[in-house]
Amino acid sequence: SAASLPPLVSSMDESFEAGVLPVGWRVDALSDAGFSPTAEVSFTGRRALWTPALDAGEDAGIELRGRFVAGTLRMRIRVDGDAPAVFVDAVLPPAINSAAWTEHEIALSAGPHVVRIAYVCTRHGSGDGRAAIDDVTFTAAGDPPPALVSSVFDALAVVSESTCAGASPALRD
């Protein structure tokens, strides 16, 4: 029924300043850990989503679920260690691997979507892999993109097709 459908997302500007997961966000149940709001790291403001320190072979995941108008989802991602993979209903864009905040963008068609962001620690040490997400925006097609906080990007994304090769099949599908 129409009453059970989630509200239509036509815009979003989320920097996790409330210190709780916003409506539509949830920890990926198939992951060893999740992302949670923290004041330990942020691109702008005081908070961002941050994984706990992970050991080699562990993963952390979070999902953004919603019914979207056609548009573009943007987010800043930072990795201390290995690369997160971004999934939208199926594997689409490549992974990002950068210790600096990098902007990542995904075009969404109109309709329901589950955006999964998964980080798989492949380091050989223990407790030294982490990833962060901040400044998530959604702009409907035809709308101007949100103003950038800074005109200088921290770094270019380093693309690696093999970074998430060790991810469990559940995270890749």
Side-chain angles (χ1 to χ4, degrees), residues 60-147:
I62 193 160
E63 297 176 347
L64 169 59
R65 295 172 173 262
R67 194 169 54 98
F68 293 83
V69 300
T72 304
L73 183 69
R74 291 177 179 86
M75 65 188 78
R76 298 280 181 162
I77 298 177
R78 174 184 153 184
V79 178
D80 289 349
D82 308 310
V86 178
F87 303 89
V88 182
D89 300 331
V91 178
L92 289 182
I96 294 175
N97 187 4
S98 176
W101 288 100
T102 58
E103 186 176 70
H104 193 59
E105 152 176 324
I106 304 164
L108 295 178
S109 60
H113 290 279
V114 177
V115 179
R116 292 178 189 89
I117 304 160
Y119 170 75
V120 180
C121 182
T122 58
R123 284 184 160 188
H124 296 292
S126 62
D128 58 358
R130 296 185 87 171
I133 302 165
D134 203 3
D135 291 344
V136 179
T137 62
F138 178 77
T139 306
D143 288 348

Side-chain angles (χ1 to χ4, degrees):
S1 79
S4 65
L5 289 175
L8 190 63
V9 178
S10 59
S11 69
M12 177 186 300
D13 187 2
E14 184 57 63
S15 60
F16 311 102
E17 295 303 304
V20 296
L21 285 180
V23 172
W25 291 82
R26 70 178 193 150
V27 171
D28 182 357
L30 299 175
S31 298
D32 296 316
F35 286 74
S36 58
T38 183
E40 290 180 55
V41 63
S42 70
F43 179 73
T44 58
R46 296 175 296 127
R47 297 192 193 315
L49 294 182
W50 188 233
T51 66
L54 299 174
D55 294 331
E58 291 183 322
D59 65 331
I62 193 160
E63 297 176 347
L64 169 59
R65 295 172 173 262
R67 194 169 54 98
F68 293 83
V69 300
T72 304
L73 183 69
R74 291 177 179 86
M75 65 188 78
R76 298 280 181 162
I77 298 177
R78 174 184 153 184
V79 178
D80 289 349
D82 308 310
V86 178
F87 303 89
V88 182
D89 300 331
V91 178
L92 289 182
I96 294 175
N97 187 4
S98 176
W101 288 100
T102 58
E103 186 176 70
H104 193 59
E105 152 176 324
I106 304 164
L108 295 178
S109 60
H113 290 279
V114 177
V115 179
R116 292 178 189 89
I117 304 160
Y119 170 75
V120 180
C121 182
T122 58
R123 284 184 160 188
H124 296 292
S126 62
D128 58 358
R130 296 185 87 171
I133 302 165
D134 203 3
D135 291 344
V136 179
T137 62
F138 178 77
T139 306
D143 288 348
L148 293 175
V149 173
S150 167
S151 60
V152 178
F153 287 94
D154 296 306
L156 294 176
V158 176
V159 176
S160 169
E161 293 179 13
S162 62
T163 303
C164 292
S168 67
L171 288 176
R172 289 194 306 260
D173 294 338

